[in-house]
Amino acid sequence: MHPLVAGNFAHFLLWMGDSGLATLVTAAVVLALAIPKATRGLACRWAAAFVLVVSLVLATKLRLFGWRDGIAAIGFRGPSGHAAMAAFVWPMAGWLVTARASRRVRCVAMAVGALFALGVAVVLVAYGFHSLVETVAGGLLGGIGAGACIFAARSAQPPSARVTWLAALAVAVVFGLQHGSPLEPLRQLERKAHKLAAPYR
């Protein structure tokens, strides 16, 4: 197995599930959807689903901190946040940037997003960051959230071409600014959370 170093594909995939990147991409897309009145409902749904997924991941992890090793019999210490974020953000982003395209193009775009999420899951398990159970749990949590939003969007007015281009541009800018690097304020928050939870491990 190749070392996980900055610049290789495994490191890139791991970054694709980073909470900082997911937060910025979600914020950019929500803002793009919130500009026209017709798609503000979609913006609210996506924002609410993102908050719910993140809250469930954090709540589960904090609950299991009191069990020291979580559920050791199945190697479960809480759903993987990286897997959840990747499974939530990238299929939804694929749907948004192709919202006005044909059904086939939309399906391909969402499938590409799902493949990125699968790649993140493989890296998490292969390099020992999470167990298979934790990764599957996170992926299912994020995937269900994304699926619910996409299903709800079927009956809504599709975003205008201007919105989809704006969202695509925002995602590209986020990629350019954050490429390969975590969002430091969120890293600091994670370190504080782990420090607070340390006495209960």
Side-chain angles (χ1 to χ4, degrees):
M1 186 183 298
H2 296 292
L4 188 64
V5 296
N8 67 17
F9 189 58
H11 184 272
F12 171 76
L13 285 175
L14 187 64
W15 175 71
M16 289 285 287
D18 181 74
S19 57
L21 176 65
T23 301
L24 288 175
V25 169
T26 301
V29 172
V30 166
L31 287 174
L33 287 172
I35 293 173
K37 187 176 181 179
T39 54
R40 285 176 189 167
L42 292 178
C44 291
R45 289 191 194 100
W46 196 352
F50 180 80
V51 171
L52 180 60
V53 168
V54 171
S55 298
L56 287 174
V57 170
L58 291 177
T60 305
K61 286 180 178 292
L62 289 174
R63 177 67 182 88
L64 291 175
F65 273 145
W67 293 12
R68 293 182 181 274
D69 293 326
I71 306 175
I74 60 173
F76 184 73
R77 295 172 296 173
S80 164
H82 274 68
M85 292 297 93
F88 178 80
V89 169
W90 300 118
M92 280 291 293
W95 170 83
L96 177 63
V97 298
T98 58
R100 301 192 71 85
S102 67
R103 179 182 177 84
R104 178 177 296 182
V105 172
R106 293 198 307 272
C107 288
V108 169
M110 288 186 289
V112 170
L115 283 175
F116 271 120
L118 179 61
V120 172
V122 169
V123 170
L124 290 171
V125 175
Y127 285 88
F129 290 106
H130 283 286
S131 68
L132 179 61
V133 175
E134 292 168 345
T135 304
V136 170
L140 285 175
L141 182 59
I144 290 172
C149 289
I150 292 171
F151 183 80
R154 294 174 62 189
S155 59
Q157 180 179 337
S160 66
R162 182 178 61 181
V163 169
T164 58
W165 279 108
L166 180 60
L169 177 61
V171 172
V173 169
V174 167
F175 252 79
L177 294 177
Q178 283 296 125
H179 178 61
S181 61
L183 191 63
E184 186 55 30
L186 287 179
R187 294 283 81 82
Q188 292 177 1
L189 181 61
E190 288 179 2
R191 287 194 289 268
K192 289 180 180 179
H194 282 287
K195 185 177 180 180
L196 289 172
Y200 303 100
R201 292 185 175 183

